[in-house]
Amino acid sequence: MAQINPSILSADFARLAEEARAVEGADWLHVDVMDNHFVPNLTLGVPVVQSLRKATDIPLDCHLMIEDPDRWAPAFVEAGAGSVTFHAEAAAAPVRLAREIRALGARASMALKPATPIEPFEDLLPELDMLLVMTVEPGFGGQAFLDVMLPKIRRTRRLIERHGLPLWLQVDGGVSAETIERCAEAGADVFVAGSAVYGADDPAAAVRGLRAAAERAAGGRAGAGADAPAER
């Protein structure tokens, strides 16, 4: 089943509690954490996660675009995150960090920037609950979807299936009604959507529409099965 994670980076920061309630029916609430070092932007931290946890029953999916996630990620679990994503490019000891996040009771996820290939991390996949393929350069919302990431999504899906892992495959960046079907066809099953949800007149309806589109496309991919041509 497709999961839709609205990104509060596109919400009204002065009304975060209300904006969280506006996406009732979402699977997770995506929280972009940026430190102005790993990426050239500064956003939210642990205190906001603590406040959001009190304001909504939707589980929190925290994406750490920060340096030294080995040090800081556990604090986000303790603040109430149900899933914590660290970047492969920033983590000093990704296996140890993933195990620590899991031991604290959250799902462990690793993100890859557009230029970072998945193949060097194949052996780490069993340590994870989710893999995030960035479909824009991390740092800012509202960017255009990078179609060149579709082959990478397909390769990642094939690796997951080859190992028989119950690993979610998330995409983040430029996901909209115009791009979500391509992502789902390529093998993604968790979708972060910012302006496509919070820019809509009815954010909850936008969530439902995106989920329906993704599930239609995923059904087509499943139907194609082994007859689908391999892609390098």
Side-chain angles (χ1 to χ4, degrees):
M1 178 178 175
Q3 299 184 60
I4 306 298
N5 299 13
S7 171
I8 62 168
L9 187 63
S10 297
D12 181 349
F13 278 19
R15 301 170 51 251
L16 283 185
E18 295 171 52
E19 295 283 66
R21 289 190 288 270
V23 292
E24 184 178 351
D27 298 282
W28 295 76
L29 193 61
H30 191 81
V31 182
D32 290 299
V33 179
M34 307 182 195
D35 64 357
N36 203 32
H37 294 284
F38 182 70
V39 293
N41 198 1
L42 184 65
T43 57
L44 311 171
V46 167
V48 174
V49 172
Q50 291 172 325
S51 296
L52 278 171
R53 180 67 285 149
K54 297 173 185 176
T56 180
D57 292 329
I58 302 172
L60 303 180
D61 167 33
C62 288
H63 177 192
L64 307 186
M65 289 167 272
I66 63 174
E67 292 183 350
D68 201 8
D70 305 73
R71 175 184 178 186
W72 297 111
F76 285 88
V77 182
E78 293 164 0
S83 177
V84 175
T85 300
F86 58 88
H87 267 265
E89 304 86 358
V95 171
R96 183 176 65 195
L97 179 55
R99 290 180 178 181
E100 184 174 6
I101 291 169
R102 282 175 154 181
L104 290 170
R107 295 177 62 85
S109 171
M110 187 172 71
L112 304 176
K113 286 183 172 183
T116 304
I118 177 59
E119 287 76 12
F121 301 98
E122 180 176 357
D123 291 342
L124 275 65
L125 295 182
E127 302 289 341
L128 303 170
D129 298 296
M130 184 169 72
L131 197 291
L132 166 55
V133 173
M134 292 297 299
T135 45
V136 299
E137 289 293 340
F140 295 92
Q143 298 184 63
F145 178 81
L146 295 175
D147 282 287
V148 294
M149 290 298 101
L150 291 171
K152 181 176 174 181
I153 297 169
R154 293 189 181 97
R155 293 197 305 273
T156 303
R157 173 53 64 191
R158 286 200 293 270
L159 286 179
I160 292 170
E161 292 177 348
R162 181 184 306 162
H163 292 279
L165 297 170
L167 190 67
W168 295 350
L169 177 51
Q170 185 180 66
V171 290
D172 180 3
V175 174
S176 67
E178 289 71 41
T179 61
I180 195 167
E181 292 188 2
R182 278 174 276 166
C183 295
E185 287 167 355
D189 52 15
V190 183
F191 307 88
V192 177
S195 55
V197 171
Y198 280 113
D201 292 335
D202 185 340
V207 168
R208 294 191 296 272
L210 289 168
R211 185 185 291 115
E215 291 182 349
R216 284 194 302 271
R221 179 177 68 88
D227 295 332
E231 182 169 351
R232 295 180 183 178

